[in-house]
Amino acid sequence: MALTVDMDIKQTAEKLINKHSLSVDEYEFLITNRTPGITELIRSEAVSVRQKIYGNKVFVRGLIEISSYCRNDCLYCGIRKSNHNAERYRLDEEQILSCCDEGYDLGYRTFVLQGGEDAYYTDERLEALIREIKRRYPDCAVTLSLGERSYESYKRLFEAGADRYLLRHETADKEHYGMLHPSYQSFDTRMKCLEDLKKIGYQTGCGFMVGSPFQTARHIAKDLKFLEEFRPAMCGIGPFITHKDTPFKDEENGSTELTLFLLSVIRLILPNVLLPATTALGTTDAIGREKGILSGANVIMPNLSPTEVREKYALYDNKICTGEESAQCRQCLSRRMGSIGYEIVTDRGDVKKI
Ligand code: 5AD
Ligand code: FES
């Protein structure tokens, strides 16, 4: 019996490596029956696929956390509107532009504007901001990560110059989505937003947390199938981490090991995907981001937010880099990437067409 399982798992891994595709049942089987040997096989294949397309270059994105106000109430998130202990802030246009100025000097050529769903950020305000960033830095990409908006809004922001949009799908299983969100946040709306973004022409990113409450191997298998079909340009995954002021405060954190395994699997499914080694991964393991790169990731998103607000953008407990200056993060990451034989590049880092 043990022998057949061994054979099947090897065959399943080889099928993934050769075909970049598995059925949902096969993904589930792979996740459930992975061994250290299989994990290493998949990891080394993922690294060689990434190496062929992107070499040993790591793209960096300057992450500016523009607002901790949020109208939503995701059960896992520290800035959910029901968390009355959360300190709220928002950056104005001038503060955001000064982060970009600093980031440009540090070599960033992509700025990611991320925030809660904050009504202050109307289309008009965002259009003006995006236009000004593009005017000052025509050689930079602008990525938005501002949650769900209408088709018209996404279109206006794209026309103002935004290049990319990150909106994690969170889970590809509707029932599971319902267990992580209040009933007025809808799975169907989330999926429609992702379709809209792609249709408009954004380089679109989705993603999910690893080890979120109630998540099973079957759910993750469905996430992987979704990635295979949706074919995002970017995919953000990181371990779920508890936040002390949320309903999930007593749940368990997601596993670093499973996150690393999934980074490799995703690299094999989508060879050219822009795949960050996330801050959450650097939080569950002191060298999680390095391990992420060594598992097939090729993007790092250092914090460019003003030091005074960093603590307040706490989606989960013990987040790293909240006490550092932007320049410190930049240097720290160069050193960290250098230590594993990788190099941070000054480049927009667009998805490579293959
Ligand atoms: N742990 C890990 N990741 C989280 N996110 C939100 N809350 C948490 C948490 N507690 C992720 C979500 C969201 C992204 C911005 O951060 O996936 O889409
Ligand atoms: Fe921020 Fe290391 S990346 S201090």
Side-chain angles (χ1 to χ4, degrees), residues 289 302 321 324 328-329 332-333 336:
R289 289 168 300 173
C321 299
E324 326 297 325
Q328 286 177 317
C329 279
C332 168
L333 282 173
R336 283 170 178 264

Side-chain angles (χ1 to χ4, degrees), residues 107-334:
Y108 297 125
R109 295 297 176 266
T110 291
F111 301 116
V112 182
L113 310 184
Q114 184 176 91
E117 291 190 19
D118 177 357
Y120 172 85
Y121 282 105
T122 57
D123 294 343
E124 290 72 19
R125 286 197 170 104
L126 287 168
E127 281 171 328
L129 176 63
I130 295 163
R131 288 214 170 89
E132 181 56 19
I133 297 175
K134 285 290 192 168
R135 190 190 67 76
R136 292 192 190 185
Y137 316 109
D139 53 339
C140 288
V142 171
T143 303
L144 304 177
S145 177
L146 301 168
E148 296 177 5
R149 304 177 76 93
S150 67
Y151 182 92
E152 292 65 37
S153 169
Y154 285 149
K155 191 151 198 302
R156 283 176 64 172
L157 304 180
F158 184 75
E159 282 163 2
D163 302 273
R164 311 188 185 123
Y165 205 105
L166 303 173
L167 182 71
R168 290 190 180 181
H169 65 286
E170 309 298 356
T171 168
D173 181 279
K174 189 169 176 164
E175 202 182 322
H176 186 218
Y177 195 93
M179 299 166 101
L180 301 178
H181 302 97
S183 54
Y184 60 82
Q185 287 178 238
S186 125
F187 174 79
D188 295 337
T189 306
R190 174 75 39 150
M191 288 295 166
K192 169 157 190 313
C193 285
L194 283 166
E195 291 298 338
D196 287 350
L197 289 163
K198 215 172 159 187
K199 194 155 119 199
I200 291 166
Y202 284 98
Q203 292 179 39
T204 303
C206 60
F208 60 95
M209 292 178 289
V210 178
S212 60
F214 316 110
Q215 188 185 57
T216 62
R218 184 80 187 169
H219 291 143
I220 300 175
K222 288 177 81 172
D223 288 321
L224 297 174
K225 196 68 193 175
F226 172 71
L227 296 179
E228 199 189 299
E229 290 169 354
F230 184 69
R231 311 207 76 75
M234 305 164 293
C235 178
I237 68 160
F240 161 74
I241 304 172
T242 58
H243 186 291
K244 61 182 181 357
D245 299 317
T246 64
F248 291 156
K249 63 179 187 313
D250 297 322
E251 300 288 331
E252 255 179 60
N253 285 349
S255 136
T256 304
E257 183 274 329
L258 179 54
T259 306
L260 296 171
F261 175 72
L262 293 171
L263 285 171
S264 304
V265 172
I266 293 168
R267 172 63 61 200
L268 293 175
I269 298 172
L270 302 167
N272 61 339
V273 75
L274 295 164
L275 191 62
T278 55
T279 306
L281 186 57
T283 300
T284 54
D285 186 308
I287 52 166
R289 289 168 300 173
E290 289 87 332
K291 290 177 181 173
I293 299 295
L294 293 171
S295 299
N298 67 331
V299 171
I300 300 269
M301 300 172 67
N303 202 323
L304 246 191
S305 308
T307 316
E308 321 82 80
V309 304
R310 288 190 187 194
E311 293 259 358
K312 299 180 192 151
Y313 198 79
L315 309 186
Y316 47 81
D317 292 333
N318 304 315
K319 189 176 159 203
I320 55 170
C321 299
T322 54
E324 326 297 325
E325 300 281 342
S326 298
Q328 286 177 317
C329 279
R330 179 64 181 77
Q331 281 163 10
C332 168
L333 282 173
S334 278

Side-chain angles (χ1 to χ4, degrees), residues 335-353:
R335 191 166 14 84
R336 283 170 178 264
M337 294 301 117
S339 78
I340 55 167
Y342 286 76
E343 187 200 354
I344 286 181
V345 289
T346 296
D347 190 310
R348 272 175 54 117
D350 287 300
V351 69
K352 281 226 166 71
K353 297 274 177 271

